[in-house]
Amino acid sequence: MDEEFLSERAKNLKPSGIRKFFDLVANTKGVISLGIGEPDYVTPWKICASAVKSIQQGMTMYTSNAGLPELRHAICNDIKSRFGLDYEISNCLVSVGVSEALDLAARATLNPGDEVIIPEPSYVAYPAVVELAGGKVVPVPTYESNNFEITASDIEKKITPKTKAILLGYPCNPTGAIMTRERMMEIADVVKRHNLIVYADEIYERLTYGATHVCFASIPGMQERTVLLGGFSKAYAMTGWRVGYALAPDKILAAMLKIHQHTIMCASTASQMAAITAIKECGPDSDRMVEDYNKRRLFIVGGLRRCGFSCFEPKGAFYAFPNITSTGLTSEQFAEQLLEQQKVAVIPGTAFGESGEGYVRCCYATGMDDIHEALNRIKKFVDSLK
Ligand SMILES: Cc1ncc(COP(=O)(O)O)c(C=O)c1O
């Protein structure tokens, strides 16, 4: 009966395909999970200690809405040192994770019916964020044969007079793809010609293997058209701290800040103090985690290939995205049956959009022993299908 009180937007919102799967996992004992997309490390102690210290010192009040100036300076310096981009701290907003920053970017820039081009498969929250802001999602499939990079020509085919923005999430969750500078330059050309903006979700930018991440805002002419989103969750194993940031041109940042002021006030003070230590002092800790992810990445990709799958070699983030079409099962059937029969949780590719059909996402931010055992079980499962 309370259904009648729901807004159309809430009613139309699809539940996350990932959550549905976690509910199944929660009810099965002895599961090895390659499902959840978060680091298995605890936050480096130095980071935790600075939060504890700030609480002991009584730093328990709100910070300024945009975030602690020291943190915003540190973010701007970090981006300058790694990508050569100049941002004033007035162009930087500290958010409650990239999740909030994405929501702010969409709400600050979209009018009802504005279209946003999103490569697919991609992070589950992208369509929801755009729809909740009144925008319309225009998916553009990406392909294993093309290293899951989105191309300028595929984008251009979907452009209409209503197109406002492109949401680029690279390194990509779930494919592990990154974009080459050449492809980004071609996209930048489309962005300029059609007068668009870009939301660049670069939360995995520190997690690359052998290939260097290209920051979209560093492509000539793109800084003034890009809302650059970054965070602490993945690089510093800080998912529970809920800190991220947005760097954007003046007017867009001011609009995002207004929404943030009214809805959030500020990110948690202790978490911001922790983030200052992370960004200033914990680059080496992050590098060590990345080295470890790299070992796991090579191990899981090799193992999945030995199971008979074609598996794109991920160049960033911490996901492998094997092609499971040789089993004759759909992504959902594969994930459900693997869980039922061998107690291994993976996420069906379709949770990341229709073009994820034929794939499953395996997160390798999991201990090596578990990955080893999961691969043995996957092999048994695949053999049982023959
Ligand atoms: C691509 C991508 N963007 C954003 C997020 C959300 O990150 P945060 O913890 O900073 O809100 C995630 C989390 O999985 C992600 O994979």
Side-chain angles (χ1 to χ4, degrees), residues 218-260:
S218 71
I219 305 287
M222 286 302 105
Q223 190 173 355
E224 61 260 36
R225 291 180 177 273
T226 302
V227 182
L228 170 58
L229 308 173
F232 294 81
S233 291
K234 315 290 174 168
Y236 302 100
M238 289 179 70
T239 45
W241 296 80
R242 313 306 304 124
V243 208
Y245 57 85
L247 293 161
D250 296 342
K251 293 273 168 13
I252 297 181
L253 196 101
M256 290 170 69
L257 184 56
K258 270 195 287 182
I259 302 170
H260 174 80

Side-chain angles (χ1 to χ4, degrees), residues 9 106-116 130-137 160-164 199:
R9 271 188 193 161
R107 284 203 281 163
T109 54
L110 297 178
N111 286 314
D114 281 348
E115 293 177 4
V116 180
V130 169
E131 280 164 17
L132 283 172
K136 183 172 167 234
V137 175
T160 75
K162 295 207 150 194
T163 310
K164 180 83 158 270
Y199 314 125

Side-chain angles (χ1 to χ4, degrees), residues 37 97-99 102 123 126 173 201 203-204 233-234 242-243 319:
V98 169
S99 304
L102 268 168
Y123 180 48
Y126 294 158
N173 171 6
D201 174 0
I203 189 167
Y204 293 101
S233 291
K234 315 290 174 168
R242 313 306 304 124
V243 208
Y319 308 102

Side-chain angles (χ1 to χ4, degrees), residues 2-3 5-15 128 131-133:
D2 52 357
E3 168 107 4
F5 297 113
L6 297 180
S7 70
E8 288 307 314
R9 271 188 193 161
K11 268 197 272 185
N12 293 337
L13 203 59
K14 280 200 226 112
E131 280 164 17
L132 283 172

